[in-house]
Amino acid sequence: MRRKTLPVENPNQFFAYKPFDASRIAILLTQNPMCKELYENFIHYRIEKINSQGYMQLDCHFNEEFSSIGVKKMPIDLLLDLSIGFIEFCKKSIDRNFYLFIPIECSKISNYSVYKKEKLPHHIFVYGYDDEQQVFLCSEFFYFSKKGYSFEVVSYLEMEEAFLDLQNQTTPEMMNKEQFQWLKDIQLLKSFADYKDKFTIQRVQSGLRFYLDGRDCYGNKGYLKDVYYGIAIYNLLEEYINEILKENYELFDIRCFTLIFFHFRYLRLQAEFIKQNYDIEKQDVFIKKFLDLEKCANILLNVAIKYQITRKKAILQNIIKKIKEMKEGDINILTQYINYLEHL
């Protein structure tokens, strides 16, 4: 009987927004020295505008690429053609020090709050296995909105059933659409011990300038249709709220407001990190300003939650007002911060 566990740390105190983000932070926090790109990449985010059945939807992500985490994709159709079998494939991947990021049907796994209740395709992060107990060691948002990111064990058989069930849900028509491509890949994540740290204040400045210009962390702008970066997301959120006012959407997605909250949290964490590692005395001023904006963003998030519960249209007008205030505050503080860093 074999057991193997790859190193992970709970990301909740730092950040846990989506499985993509949380799984990578669980790896990053175990690296020695810790990957300092973490303080650069997560101030950047993107929102994709999707028109689904005539409704506007927003899909939100932080930048998830890191020099110290390698990502390989295993096409699921190829895996299903191999004789190795799903369970053995997962175990052999972990034996070779690859973490797994697997698309599954949550309603087939008893740890989930939706077990046997409703269909819910999602990702699950697998970092170990135990042959004696016949379980995989996993982490995910098992309880979704009820609790935070958590670590659980999932039986081999449930995991395999959840994996195959999701594959049986796919159709050729679905897979012709880009938004469903994630259903057909298993991601294998590798932690690189020989990562060379490149964190500099100059890179922080460059990244913040990109952010203020609506670019991604690499300086790209407008190269993907209906994908918005940095400061550009505020106008997108206004468009989203106005669309809801006009069309009476039943679905109201608060994840975009969570994204803004964590953006300011990351700016604060980054400013604290720079203070600790570069001995900058006046950094406290900006740490406080980022904390104040983080609190304002939390108020905006709570207002969005209030609308989600009550559906009172007057709240949406208040949300638009607060979005404008957040955008103005974001531009002002980052402009000051870039100038301050430039004169260090």
Side-chain angles (χ1 to χ4, degrees):
M1 292 290 183
R2 283 183 48 79
R3 173 188 170 95
K4 180 160 184 179
T5 304
L6 299 177
V8 290
E9 283 194 22
N10 193 318
N12 276 319
Q13 294 304 313
F14 198 85
F15 177 83
Y17 170 71
K18 272 191 171 185
F20 284 95
D21 315 318
S23 62
R24 281 148 175 80
I25 293 179
I27 298 172
L28 291 172
L29 293 177
T30 67
Q31 294 177 345
N32 189 19
M34 187 182 72
C35 173
K36 298 184 183 68
E37 273 185 311
L38 186 147
Y39 290 101
E40 289 183 67
N41 286 21
F42 278 126
I43 64 168
H44 294 278
Y45 50 80
R46 66 186 185 275
I47 297 183
E48 181 181 0
K49 181 171 71 172
I50 300 170
N51 288 312
S52 177
Q53 298 178 341
Y55 291 99
M56 180 177 171
Q57 296 181 18
L58 304 180
D59 193 19
C60 313
H61 290 277
F62 279 89
N63 180 52
E64 300 136 2
E65 296 181 7
F66 292 89
S67 300
S68 64
I69 297 180
V71 181
K72 299 179 184 292
K73 290 187 177 181
M74 174 67 180
I76 286 172
D77 288 341
L78 177 59
L79 172 60
L80 294 175
D81 285 341
L82 300 176
S83 60
I84 183 174
F86 170 75
I87 295 172
E88 194 61 27
F89 167 79
C90 294
K91 289 166 57 177
K92 285 188 178 296
S93 298
I94 293 166
D95 285 339
R96 288 163 173 75
N97 297 319
F98 283 103
Y99 302 82
L100 295 115
F101 204 57
I102 306 171
I104 48 95
E105 170 52 60
C106 298
S107 65
K108 297 295 181 179
I109 294 180
S110 54
N111 302 69
Y112 280 98
S113 58
V114 294
Y115 180 53
K116 293 183 178 180
K117 295 178 183 177
E118 59 180 295
K119 292 284 189 181
L120 183 67
H122 219 236
H123 276 102
I124 193 166
F125 181 57
V126 181
Y127 62 92
Y129 68 89
D130 187 325
D131 276 343
E132 184 174 352
Q133 296 185 53
Q134 294 283 289
V135 294
F136 289 112
L137 282 68
C138 309
S139 60
E140 224 281 74
F141 294 91
F142 287 98
Y143 298 93
F144 297 105
S145 60
K146 297 177 184 177
K147 293 184 180 179
Y149 193 78
S150 59
F151 292 78
E152 307 275 356
V153 295
V154 175
S155 75
Y156 289 166
L157 294 180
E158 280 191 356
M159 185 72 80
E160 183 175 42
E161 183 181 6
F163 169 74
L164 294 175
D165 185 276
L166 183 58
Q167 294 312 303
N168 289 333
Q169 292 180 39
T170 62
T171 64
E173 292 75 23
M174 285 174 59
M175 301 319 300
N176 286 332
K177 298 179 180 179
E178 179 66 27
Q179 68 198 78
F180 295 115
Q181 291 302 306
W182 68 273
L183 300 171
K184 283 294 185 180
D185 286 316
I186 292 179
Q187 291 188 19
L188 302 176
L189 308 179
K190 187 91 167 184
S191 181
F192 293 132
D194 58 349
Y195 165 73
K196 304 297 183 185
D197 179 40
K198 296 179 180 178
F199 182 92
T200 67
I201 289 179
Q202 288 73 25
R203 283 169 62 95
V204 171
Q205 289 176 266
S206 177
L208 293 175
R209 289 192 184 99
F210 288 154
Y211 174 90
L212 285 178
D213 194 33
R215 300 177 184 271
D216 68 11
C217 60
Y218 307 109
N220 298 311
K221 183 176 183 177
Y223 74 103
L224 288 177
K225 184 178 183 296
D226 290 333
V227 178
Y228 298 76
Y229 300 95
I231 209 72
I233 68 101
Y234 289 102
N235 290 345
L236 177 62
L237 287 186
E238 276 195 61
E239 180 185 345
Y240 179 60
I241 300 301
N242 283 319
E243 191 81 4
I244 293 171
L245 278 166
K246 183 175 66 176
E247 299 292 342
N248 287 317
Y249 288 179
E250 183 177 339
L251 176 67
F252 180 66
D253 196 339
I254 65 168
R255 292 178 300 173
C256 44
F257 301 100
T258 306
L259 199 74
I260 295 175
F261 168 77
F262 277 113
H263 163 68
F264 289 114
R265 170 169 287 185
Y266 267 91
L267 284 168
R268 175 174 60 81
L269 290 172
Q270 184 193 77
E272 291 173 350
F273 171 79
I274 290 174
K275 175 189 175 183
Q276 293 165 4
N277 288 271
Y278 291 85
D279 194 26
I280 300 172
E281 295 180 1
K282 295 183 180 179
Q283 193 75 352
D284 285 338
V285 174
F286 288 97
I287 291 172
K288 184 182 183 304
K289 288 183 177 182
F290 289 136
L291 178 59
D292 289 341
L293 284 170
E294 184 182 337
K295 291 176 180 177
C296 290
N298 191 45
I299 292 172
L300 174 60
L301 174 60
N302 286 329
V303 173
I305 292 171
K306 185 177 180 180
Y307 171 75
Q308 193 178 46
I309 296 169
T310 66
R311 301 291 169 156
K312 293 181 179 178
K313 290 297 181 67
I315 297 176
L316 291 178
Q317 297 291 354
N318 190 21
I319 289 175
I320 290 176
K321 178 183 175 182
K322 289 186 179 300
I323 288 172
K324 292 179 184 292
E325 292 172 354
M326 293 300 306
K327 178 182 178 181
E328 184 178 350
D330 206 354
I331 293 172
N332 289 340
I333 183 64
L334 290 185
T335 302
Q336 294 174 38
Y337 193 46
I338 290 169
N339 292 334
Y340 165 71
L341 293 175
E342 192 159 345
H343 290 91
L344 289 178

